[in-house]
Amino acid sequence: MNLRLYRPTDITACLSIFDSNVPTYFAPEERGDFERFLHEHAAQCAFQVIEVEGQVVACGGLWNCGEGSASFCWGMVERGRHRQGLGRALAVARLHQAAADPSIRRITLSTSQHTQGFYAGLGFQVVRVVADGHGAGIDAVEMERVL
């Protein structure tokens, strides 16, 4: 496993990871937003990927929102590789990234009911739930963790 910064040449692999998680974890209509993010904002949030045997299989970033807050953004693992520790490795790397920045005092994220328990296991608390907030059948579960 190799964790590294995203490169523009990773876009196809990252979109493939997204597609593998539709419709359970992402709504199809979110794909355009993710693609725009990769083109326009990935560098700003030190977006990272995980490679296994040279293949990009996970990705995610940490967006510094200012005023002491940062947000996990677009974290995902290729569907066939769920429950192999990749998501945890990516989340822990982003937590370490946030902890290394003294200006960040809390981390927020918006996930779904399907991954809420995963993030709770990393110390995140539910702040708000919006039914169908990410698409039909995919609630927006807003969570935060104080550093």
Side-chain angles (χ1 to χ4, degrees):
M1 179 179 84
N2 178 41
L3 179 71
R4 64 166 174 80
L5 287 175
Y6 169 85
R7 298 187 286 248
T9 55
D10 296 324
I11 191 166
T12 300
C14 290
L15 290 171
S16 178
I17 294 167
F18 177 92
D19 293 340
S20 77
N21 285 287
V22 172
T24 304
Y25 300 98
F26 294 104
E29 57 270 18
E30 292 180 284
R31 191 179 199 274
D33 291 339
F34 181 49
E35 187 169 6
R36 265 186 303 287
F37 167 83
L38 292 172
H39 283 292
E40 299 172 11
H41 302 291
Q44 289 174 253
C45 71
F47 201 66
Q48 300 175 70
V49 299
I50 292 179
E51 294 176 316
V52 173
E53 298 176 0
Q55 179 183 359
V56 175
V57 297
C59 57
L62 180 74
W63 187 278
N64 191 330
C65 307
E67 298 184 16
S69 181
S71 180
F72 276 12
C73 57
W74 294 111
M76 62 192 82
V77 175
E78 182 181 288
R79 179 90 181 239
R81 293 182 183 265
H82 287 189
R83 301 197 174 276
Q84 295 179 12
L86 297 168
R88 182 171 187 70
L90 182 62
V92 168
R94 293 184 287 168
L95 288 170
H96 286 259
Q97 181 184 359
D101 184 336
S103 73
I104 298 174
R105 296 183 303 279
R106 75 181 182 110
I107 302 171
T108 63
L109 60 86
S110 183
T111 191
S112 74
Q113 70 272 27
H114 305 295
T115 51
Q116 167 185 347
F118 169 80
Y119 288 108
L122 291 168
F124 286 85
Q125 303 287 324
V126 175
V127 175
R128 183 171 77 133
V129 177
V130 178
D132 297 329
H134 288 300
I138 306 174
D139 298 342
V141 181
E142 296 175 10
M143 303 180 81
E144 75 174 17
R145 177 179 164 169
V146 176
L147 297 179

